[in-house]
Amino acid sequence: MISQTLREARKYEETMEAGINGGRPAFHLSPRVGWMNDPNGFSYCKGAYHLFYQYYPYDSVWGPMHWGHAVSRDLLHWEYLPAALAPDTAYDKDGCFSGSALELPDGRQLLMYTGVVKEPRTDGGFQDIQTQCIAIGDGRDYEKYQQNPVLDGGDLPEGGSRNDFRDPKLWMEEDGTYRCVVGNCTGDKDGRILLYKSEDGIHWDFLSILAENKGRFGRMWECPDFFKLDGKYVLLTSPQDMMPRGFEYHNGNGTICLMGDYDEKTNTFIEEHNQAVDYGIDFYAPQTIAAPDGRRIMIGWMQNWDTCNLRDTERFWFGQMTLPRELSIENGRLIQKPVRELESLRGEEVRYENVVFTDTIRLDGIRGRKMDMEIMLRPADPENIFHKFAVRFAQDETYHTSVSFRPLESVVKVDRKFSGSRRAIIHLWSCHFGGEQKTV
Ligand code: FRU
């Protein structure tokens, strides 16, 4: 049964979509209409990739969360399906927050998400109460489980906040049982990741506190993901309110990768290494999928909570996803590469070799709004290395966006100060080339 709220949202998006003429990114998924944040339910079902997203169709700002829905066969061309979830029940009336999906052995698709209810506080304000809920469907229409929520405040370990208990990411173990990780924090907002277990994907039991922040990386840990990759265990999470640390971690909401081992006796993560997941300006709340061919593929929200209020009010949509990336571990570090499907989009090749330059150059044929560019750079004189190399994209007299590299300091900078913004928001982020100080 489709609720009135969901029916209205579906009707609205179908009608409004027609009014969005062009101006959409060519292969980054954007919302059908209105607002998009986190990727949700990234999964493979009946031969297609499914990607849901945090969605408010009625405006291009964040509002009561729905789940938008799109499918793709190649992770680059997406087809919209009708909105999958709307905040239409007593336990999720204030939002269907982030969550995940998987295909059940009988072919149905299971969605697990956070239901939000605003509860009045004694001081006159409101507080979010967050619980985990289930919906099951055929890849297009989903029915919320009668006994929702499946996890609530009673399933929290001691000291766990009921206000920050969200973003379940579930998977099936080799023995056919299910696990999920959920973001949580203690009363003083220190992030931690909880691990739950289920026999059928529907009835869940608390297993352990998988990992704890202990005051190191920001505060509440949102949108966790946990998987095995190249012989290691990887825990991804997006901490809110981070403090900067060198060039590795920037202020604000970031995404970290914790790498290590897993203790099967205590069901806890043994942390060995940490690193930032993205050094660019816009990246948050990624989610991964184990693709049928074994690749671990990640997609993230190509935005940042600190800058997302800046938008073009003429447009009826806001927010987009990153390109999907293939993950691997090399020399103990998380490595990301654009999905190989991208190669099929390449058109005419323009190639230059042995171009020697000392000043600004423009190369004929390298132009246009979409391109895939690879640059191999070598100092002409290894004894006297150049100080700075930069590529300026979309340049005219007024605008450009630059990516620069200073080999002597091993610093890469992304600068969009001249990209057309009238606001003093974050425009520049730097990182060490390769994630750590290196010499060229
Ligand atoms: C992360 C997040 C999630 C939450 C969702 C709400 O960006 O804050 O923790 O589920 O967005 O839209």
Side-chain angles (χ1 to χ4, degrees), residues 37-38 54 62 65 97-98 166-167 222-223 240 284-285 301 305:
N37 58 292
D38 312 354
Q54 286 285 277
W62 192 87
M65 281 291 113
F97 275 19
S98 285
R166 59 181 175 271
D167 312 334
E222 299 188 303
C223 302
Q240 294 180 315
Y284 198 62
W301 180 38
W305 284 111

Side-chain angles (χ1 to χ4, degrees), residues 38-45 50-54 67-69 84-85 96-104 108-115 131-137 142 150-151 166-172 178-183 194 196 201 204 223-227 285-290 296 299:
D38 312 354
N40 292 162
F42 193 17
S43 54
Y44 192 80
C45 189
H50 287 248
L51 188 60
F52 303 80
Y53 51 92
Q54 286 285 277
W67 274 34
H69 190 187
L85 300 175
C96 299
F97 275 19
S98 285
S100 50
L102 56 74
E103 186 175 11
L104 290 168
R108 291 179 304 161
Q109 199 177 27
L110 176 84
L111 313 184
M112 190 172 191
Y113 68 98
T114 299
T131 60
Q132 315 318 319
C133 307
I134 294 277
I136 298 179
Y142 300 87
V150 295
L151 288 172
R166 59 181 175 271
D167 312 334
K169 173 78 199 295
L170 83 169
W171 70 93
M172 192 199 261
Y178 299 84
R179 302 282 184 284
C180 81
V181 279
V182 188
L194 309 179
Y196 292 84
W204 292 88
C223 302
D225 199 344
F226 187 54
F227 49 89
Q287 206 170 73
T288 71
I289 183 182
R296 179 61 63 170
I299 197 162

Side-chain angles (χ1 to χ4, degrees), residues 175-209:
D175 66 1
T177 62
Y178 299 84
R179 302 282 184 284
C180 81
V181 279
V182 188
N184 183 227
C185 62
T186 55
D188 56 2
K189 287 253 170 207
D190 198 24
R192 58 188 189 171
I193 304 301
L194 309 179
L195 182 62
Y196 292 84
K197 182 180 175 169
S198 169
E199 296 295 322
D200 56 7
I202 295 169
H203 303 88
W204 292 88
D205 293 309
F206 173 74
L207 200 56
S208 62
I209 299 174

Side-chain angles (χ1 to χ4, degrees), residues 242-262:
M242 288 188 59
M243 293 292 272
R245 196 183 299 172
F247 282 156
E248 187 66 15
Y249 297 113
H250 290 270
N251 310 58
N253 300 322
T255 301
I256 60 170
C257 164
L258 303 176
M259 200 181 287
D261 215 337
Y262 178 70

Side-chain angles (χ1 to χ4, degrees), residues 17 20-28 30-33 80 315 317:
E17 181 191 28
I20 301 178
N21 299 318
R24 280 187 190 274
F27 32 80
H28 292 260
S30 55
R32 197 165 178 188
V33 60
Y80 293 114
R315 282 193 211 278
W317 64 272

